[in-house]
mmCIF file of all heavy atoms in Angstrom:
data_model
loop_
_atom_site.group_PDB
_atom_site.id
_atom_site.type_symbol
_atom_site.label_atom_id
_atom_site.label_comp_id
_atom_site.label_asym_id
_atom_site.label_seq_id
_atom_site.Cartn_x
_atom_site.Cartn_y
_atom_site.Cartn_z
ATOM 1 N N ARG A 190 -0.546 19.556 9.389
ATOM 2 C CA ARG A 190 -1.414 18.440 9.460
ATOM 3 C C ARG A 190 -0.921 17.198 8.783
ATOM 4 O O ARG A 190 -0.803 16.052 9.290
ATOM 5 C CB ARG A 190 -2.873 18.757 8.964
ATOM 6 C CG ARG A 190 -3.575 19.704 9.876
ATOM 7 C CD ARG A 190 -4.935 20.190 9.191
ATOM 8 N NE ARG A 190 -4.533 21.039 8.048
ATOM 9 C CZ ARG A 190 -5.431 21.651 7.267
ATOM 10 N NH1 ARG A 190 -6.670 21.450 7.458
ATOM 11 N NH2 ARG A 190 -5.001 22.393 6.234
ATOM 12 N N VAL A 261 -7.122 13.325 2.281
ATOM 13 C CA VAL A 261 -6.959 14.820 2.440
ATOM 14 C C VAL A 261 -7.492 15.295 3.912
ATOM 15 O O VAL A 261 -8.424 14.669 4.348
ATOM 16 C CB VAL A 261 -7.640 15.718 1.359
ATOM 17 C CG1 VAL A 261 -7.038 15.261 0.018
ATOM 18 C CG2 VAL A 261 -9.224 15.321 1.396
ATOM 19 N N MET A 262 -6.969 16.417 4.327
ATOM 20 C CA MET A 262 -7.299 16.813 5.613
ATOM 21 C C MET A 262 -8.646 17.698 5.756
ATOM 22 O O MET A 262 -9.300 17.768 6.801
ATOM 23 C CB MET A 262 -6.224 17.780 6.202
ATOM 24 C CG MET A 262 -4.894 16.930 6.468
ATOM 25 S SD MET A 262 -5.099 15.687 7.724
ATOM 26 C CE MET A 262 -3.741 14.430 7.261
ATOM 27 N N ASP A 263 -9.001 18.281 4.550
ATOM 28 C CA ASP A 263 -10.372 19.137 4.667
ATOM 29 C C ASP A 263 -10.899 19.112 3.291
ATOM 30 O O ASP A 263 -10.247 18.785 2.249
ATOM 31 C CB ASP A 263 -10.141 20.471 5.272
ATOM 32 C CG ASP A 263 -9.185 21.376 4.532
ATOM 33 O OD1 ASP A 263 -9.184 21.471 3.294
ATOM 34 O OD2 ASP A 263 -8.489 22.152 5.311
ATOM 35 N N ASN A 264 -12.093 19.708 3.242
ATOM 36 C CA ASN A 264 -12.895 19.739 1.890
ATOM 37 C C ASN A 264 -12.346 20.713 1.000
ATOM 38 O O ASN A 264 -12.375 20.366 -0.286
ATOM 39 C CB ASN A 264 -14.302 20.235 2.334
ATOM 40 C CG ASN A 264 -15.137 19.062 2.933
ATOM 41 O OD1 ASN A 264 -15.775 18.424 2.269
ATOM 42 N ND2 ASN A 264 -15.205 18.993 4.224
ATOM 43 N N LEU A 285 -11.538 12.117 2.375
ATOM 44 C CA LEU A 285 -11.246 12.956 3.562
ATOM 45 C C LEU A 285 -10.749 11.970 4.553
ATOM 46 O O LEU A 285 -11.416 10.934 4.818
ATOM 47 C CB LEU A 285 -12.521 13.735 3.927
ATOM 48 C CG LEU A 285 -12.847 14.964 3.162
ATOM 49 C CD1 LEU A 285 -14.295 15.135 3.196
ATOM 50 C CD2 LEU A 285 -12.037 16.242 3.685
ATOM 51 N N LEU A 286 -9.658 12.331 5.266
ATOM 52 C CA LEU A 286 -9.167 11.382 6.243
ATOM 53 C C LEU A 286 -10.215 10.877 7.324
ATOM 54 O O LEU A 286 -10.275 9.792 7.687
ATOM 55 C CB LEU A 286 -7.957 11.978 6.919
ATOM 56 C CG LEU A 286 -7.298 11.175 8.033
ATOM 57 C CD1 LEU A 286 -6.840 9.939 7.524
ATOM 58 C CD2 LEU A 286 -6.283 11.999 8.792
ATOM 59 N N MET A 287 -10.991 11.925 7.810
ATOM 60 C CA MET A 287 -11.923 11.835 8.891
ATOM 61 C C MET A 287 -13.095 10.862 8.463
ATOM 62 O O MET A 287 -13.794 10.279 9.270
ATOM 63 C CB MET A 287 -12.528 12.988 9.436
ATOM 64 C CG MET A 287 -11.459 13.887 10.198
ATOM 65 S SD MET A 287 -10.445 12.949 11.373
ATOM 66 C CE MET A 287 -11.727 12.724 12.684
ATOM 67 N N ASN A 295 -17.784 13.708 6.012
ATOM 68 C CA ASN A 295 -17.056 14.787 5.181
ATOM 69 C C ASN A 295 -16.491 15.880 6.404
ATOM 70 O O ASN A 295 -16.498 17.102 5.973
ATOM 71 C CB ASN A 295 -17.711 15.465 4.088
ATOM 72 C CG ASN A 295 -17.976 14.459 2.961
ATOM 73 O OD1 ASN A 295 -17.236 13.390 2.875
ATOM 74 N ND2 ASN A 295 -18.940 14.758 2.136
ATOM 75 N N MET A 296 -16.067 15.338 7.394
ATOM 76 C CA MET A 296 -15.501 16.314 8.341
ATOM 77 C C MET A 296 -14.093 16.735 8.118
ATOM 78 O O MET A 296 -13.256 16.023 7.635
ATOM 79 C CB MET A 296 -15.328 15.527 9.783
ATOM 80 C CG MET A 296 -16.677 15.682 10.714
ATOM 81 S SD MET A 296 -16.389 14.653 12.139
ATOM 82 C CE MET A 296 -14.970 15.506 12.939
ATOM 83 N N ASP A 297 -13.763 18.002 8.391
ATOM 84 C CA ASP A 297 -12.445 18.509 8.354
ATOM 85 C C ASP A 297 -11.603 18.156 9.570
ATOM 86 O O ASP A 297 -12.060 18.211 10.659
ATOM 87 C CB ASP A 297 -12.341 20.024 8.233
ATOM 88 C CG ASP A 297 -13.111 20.618 6.883
ATOM 89 O OD1 ASP A 297 -13.186 19.735 5.974
ATOM 90 O OD2 ASP A 297 -13.444 21.755 6.803
ATOM 91 N N VAL A 298 -10.280 18.016 9.289
ATOM 92 C CA VAL A 298 -9.409 18.125 10.324
ATOM 93 C C VAL A 298 -8.956 19.650 10.308
ATOM 94 O O VAL A 298 -8.508 20.151 9.285
ATOM 95 C CB VAL A 298 -7.958 17.254 10.168
ATOM 96 C CG1 VAL A 298 -6.963 17.565 11.218
ATOM 97 C CG2 VAL A 298 -8.423 15.785 10.037
ATOM 98 N N PRO A 299 -9.218 20.322 11.469
ATOM 99 C CA PRO A 299 -8.990 21.898 11.355
ATOM 100 C C PRO A 299 -7.633 22.275 11.207
ATOM 101 O O PRO A 299 -6.665 21.589 11.582
ATOM 102 C CB PRO A 299 -9.555 22.223 12.799
ATOM 103 C CG PRO A 299 -9.519 21.156 13.680
ATOM 104 C CD PRO A 299 -9.666 19.924 12.820
ATOM 105 N N ASP A 300 -7.516 23.448 10.499
ATOM 106 C CA ASP A 300 -6.149 23.944 10.055
ATOM 107 C C ASP A 300 -5.635 24.581 11.410
ATOM 108 O O ASP A 300 -6.233 25.642 11.842
ATOM 109 C CB ASP A 300 -6.275 24.882 8.981
ATOM 110 C CG ASP A 300 -5.003 25.528 8.618
ATOM 111 O OD1 ASP A 300 -3.936 25.317 9.267
ATOM 112 O OD2 ASP A 300 -4.914 26.309 7.642
ATOM 113 N N PRO A 301 -4.485 24.134 11.996
ATOM 114 C CA PRO A 301 -3.998 24.739 13.320
ATOM 115 C C PRO A 301 -3.064 25.965 13.180
ATOM 116 O O PRO A 301 -2.458 26.417 14.078
ATOM 117 C CB PRO A 301 -3.196 23.589 13.873
ATOM 118 C CG PRO A 301 -2.682 22.770 12.735
ATOM 119 C CD PRO A 301 -3.660 22.960 11.592
ATOM 120 N N GLN A 311 -5.144 18.607 19.594
ATOM 121 C CA GLN A 311 -6.397 18.149 19.177
ATOM 122 C C GLN A 311 -6.351 17.488 17.717
ATOM 123 O O GLN A 311 -6.841 16.419 17.457
ATOM 124 C CB GLN A 311 -7.435 19.395 19.057
ATOM 125 C CG GLN A 311 -8.806 19.110 18.654
ATOM 126 C CD GLN A 311 -9.499 20.179 18.107
ATOM 127 O OE1 GLN A 311 -9.219 21.457 18.577
ATOM 128 N NE2 GLN A 311 -10.646 19.988 17.503
ATOM 129 N N VAL A 312 -5.483 18.258 16.841
ATOM 130 C CA VAL A 312 -5.309 17.742 15.531
ATOM 131 C C VAL A 312 -4.624 16.333 15.519
ATOM 132 O O VAL A 312 -5.023 15.403 14.813
ATOM 133 C CB VAL A 312 -4.459 18.795 14.755
ATOM 134 C CG1 VAL A 312 -3.933 18.219 13.454
ATOM 135 C CG2 VAL A 312 -5.371 19.969 14.276
ATOM 136 N N PHE A 313 -3.577 16.172 16.426
ATOM 137 C CA PHE A 313 -2.783 14.884 16.606
ATOM 138 C C PHE A 313 -3.863 13.891 16.975
ATOM 139 O O PHE A 313 -3.804 12.742 16.357
ATOM 140 C CB PHE A 313 -1.773 14.984 17.670
ATOM 141 C CG PHE A 313 -0.886 13.680 17.721
ATOM 142 C CD1 PHE A 313 0.285 13.679 16.975
ATOM 143 C CD2 PHE A 313 -1.439 12.720 18.433
ATOM 144 C CE1 PHE A 313 1.031 12.477 17.134
ATOM 145 C CE2 PHE A 313 -0.726 11.527 18.564
ATOM 146 C CZ PHE A 313 0.614 11.348 17.826
ATOM 147 N N MET A 315 -7.054 13.701 16.506
ATOM 148 C CA MET A 315 -7.951 13.349 15.497
ATOM 149 C C MET A 315 -7.320 12.463 14.347
ATOM 150 O O MET A 315 -7.769 11.383 13.952
ATOM 151 C CB MET A 315 -8.545 14.565 14.696
ATOM 152 C CG MET A 315 -9.494 15.390 15.693
ATOM 153 S SD MET A 315 -9.879 16.932 14.693
ATOM 154 C CE MET A 315 -11.216 16.387 13.642
ATOM 155 N N ILE A 316 -6.061 12.817 13.977
ATOM 156 C CA ILE A 316 -5.460 12.116 13.015
ATOM 157 C C ILE A 316 -5.063 10.663 13.439
ATOM 158 O O ILE A 316 -5.202 9.667 12.636
ATOM 159 C CB ILE A 316 -4.199 12.802 12.482
ATOM 160 C CG1 ILE A 316 -4.553 14.096 11.756
ATOM 161 C CG2 ILE A 316 -3.226 12.005 11.501
ATOM 162 C CD1 ILE A 316 -3.454 15.059 11.332
ATOM 163 N N ALA A 319 -7.972 8.366 13.306
ATOM 164 C CA ALA A 319 -8.425 7.987 12.035
ATOM 165 C C ALA A 319 -7.336 6.958 11.470
ATOM 166 O O ALA A 319 -7.617 6.059 10.711
ATOM 167 C CB ALA A 319 -8.436 9.174 11.019
#
Side-chain angles (χ1 to χ4, degrees):
R190 293 166 291 176
V261 299
M262 295 294 159
D263 65 37
N264 283 273
L285 285 149
L286 177 65
M287 291 311 286
N295 293 339
M296 267 176 65
D297 290 345
V298 176
D300 180 357
Q311 183 199 338
V312 162
F313 183 97
M315 290 177 80
I316 296 173

